[in-house]
Amino acid sequence: MSQVAQRLGFSEAFSYRSPRDVFVEHAALSGFRNNGKRIFNISGLSELSEQQYNDLSPIQWPITAESPAGTTRLFSEGGFVTASGKARFIAIAPRLPVQSLNASYPYALNTGRIRDQWHTMTRTARAQRLLNHIDAPFVLVHPETARTNELYDGDLAEVRTAYGAVRVGVMLDEGMGKNQLFMPIHWNDQFARQARVCSVIAPLTDPVSGQPEFKFTPAALKKVATPVWAMVVSREPLECDEFIDWSMTPLTDNKGYCYRFAAAEGFDWQAFIRQQGYTGNCAQYADTEQSDERFICYEGALVQMAIFSHHSLSLMPATSWLQGLLSREITSSPWQLLAGIDMNQPDRGKLICACFEVGEKQILAAIVDGANSTKALGEQLNCGTNCGSCIPELNKLINETLNVDAA
């Protein structure tokens, strides 16, 4: 940016030579005409050398000449950042949501975060491991609500409100209320065709905070027909306009992309491959009655694109195996890859522990063998022993498995 500004004639204002130069100017400005009135003050860092900047450890502000080591706790001596120095409390009258459930929109749509993602995934999507836990947008539905709407786990559903509609996969959860739905906020048009949940939220805002009514939007639920499902990995981004639905996971470790497609009956995968500009070698298997079609497109010893399609999403290869195709060399015949399995690497199942990459099938096997507590699972598999965010899921798997065994 500095080089562009300099070539536009602003050399004096953009004389930065490194990130350190930008930072020390920012630090100096935080103390300019401050006089203790602004709590954000890092002027104590405005004289850092290049080496000191590179070696800087995390530190809490204010950082001033009086507090060069930072400030562990704000307001420890009393006082707040108000004209009077006193805290301000705003008296409000609680009220119910503006909208109400009705015959057309009988479900209350709630929105929020999931364990491993943040906001719109601009950074967390760069960490492939974080998407291995949940790799596609979804709606949580109580099993009885799903049955009422002829939906099963993994089906594609349309969630519609008076303001628009999204299409996401169904996940069953007995912890949901029967008239409630939940969707995550993270997926956007970069990662899915139609999963931006904010597009279906009412423009109703709190009079004090301005926060929209994210936690209660009347919604309807409807199954979307998906004649064919497909899982595809590719080294290059793919054109997705012709599909009923799609979601994408960037493979930051393997430098590629993993797609989940819902397609029409009889979708022409060979034409699709040509449309992507691929003209190299391709091993193929087809059982058209089951829409079971598989393609391994390769150049030399490297897979460039792989396609596995079927009527049932549950019959797809393990996602971890599929993603790994782009990082492995074809050591024998590419036709062997059409089987969609690797006998030397058993399927771990859905990733539960992102820290140690422990899958659901591994955990269930350990529980059956006697590891009936999170402590025991941690000692055997390491899951739950680092950040701890997977512990609720570990407890759920333990309870479900033990209850089934008891029954």
Side-chain angles (χ1 to χ4, degrees), residues 32-248:
F32 181 68
R33 294 180 179 174
N34 195 324
N35 301 321
K37 294 183 179 180
R38 300 192 305 271
I39 60 171
F40 177 71
N41 187 340
I42 59 172
S43 57
L45 302 176
S46 61
E47 301 294 331
L48 291 180
S49 67
E50 193 78 41
Q51 189 62 48
Q52 288 171 326
Y53 172 78
N54 291 333
D55 295 340
L56 185 63
S57 297
I59 186 171
Q60 292 172 265
W61 51 261
I63 308 160
T64 61
E66 295 76 24
S67 303
T71 306
T72 303
R73 186 182 181 90
L74 284 173
F75 312 125
S76 58
E77 298 179 1
F80 291 84
V81 189
T82 61
S84 66
K86 297 180 179 179
R88 290 189 301 172
F89 290 87
I90 302 174
I92 62 170
R95 60 178 175 81
L96 295 173
V98 175
Q99 305 174 97
S100 300
L101 303 184
N102 54 65
S104 298
Y105 302 109
Y107 303 110
L109 174 62
N110 184 11
T111 70
R113 294 175 169 84
I114 60 173
R115 191 187 83 185
D116 290 345
Q117 298 302 324
W118 178 252
H119 288 351
T120 54
M121 304 197 305
T122 52
R123 291 186 66 81
T124 49
R126 295 175 181 269
Q128 181 180 331
R129 186 180 297 183
L130 296 180
L131 279 163
N132 285 343
H133 177 239
I134 297 177
D135 62 357
F138 63 90
V139 58
L140 281 186
V141 181
H142 188 279
E144 188 171 317
T145 303
R147 285 193 293 272
T148 300
N149 291 275
E150 299 182 340
L151 287 164
Y152 296 90
D153 194 49
D155 279 352
L156 185 66
E158 178 184 88
V159 179
R160 178 172 293 278
T161 74
Y163 308 93
V166 291
R167 289 183 173 184
V168 289
V170 172
M171 290 178 63
L172 304 184
D173 190 329
E174 292 185 349
M176 295 293 295
K178 295 178 183 179
N179 68 336
Q180 296 177 340
L181 307 173
F182 172 85
M183 273 190 63
I185 64 172
H186 313 289
W187 275 267
N188 53 64
D189 295 345
Q190 182 180 357
F191 300 104
R193 176 169 184 163
Q194 194 177 346
R196 187 165 54 86
V197 72
C198 288
S199 67
V200 301
I201 303 300
L204 300 169
T205 57
D206 180 83
V208 177
S209 69
Q211 181 87 338
E213 209 164 67
F214 287 127
K215 300 297 181 181
F216 189 96
T217 302
L221 186 66
K222 183 179 71 173
K223 183 172 182 174
V224 177
T226 52
V228 175
W229 284 101
M231 294 293 293
V232 180
V233 289
S234 172
R235 294 191 183 276
E236 302 296 331
L238 302 176
E239 293 293 333
C240 306
D241 293 342
E242 56 189 311
F243 293 102
I244 296 170
D245 191 64
W246 63 268
S247 62
M248 181 271 286

Side-chain angles (χ1 to χ4, degrees), residues 352 363 367 372-375 377 388 390-403:
I352 300 296
I363 294 167
I367 295 171
N372 57 4
S373 68
T374 55
K375 181 180 179 181
L377 287 173
C390 64
I391 288 177
E393 285 185 89
L394 297 179
N395 282 322
K396 182 179 180 182
L397 291 173
I398 291 169
N399 292 334
E400 289 177 348
T401 304
L402 296 181
N403 286 339

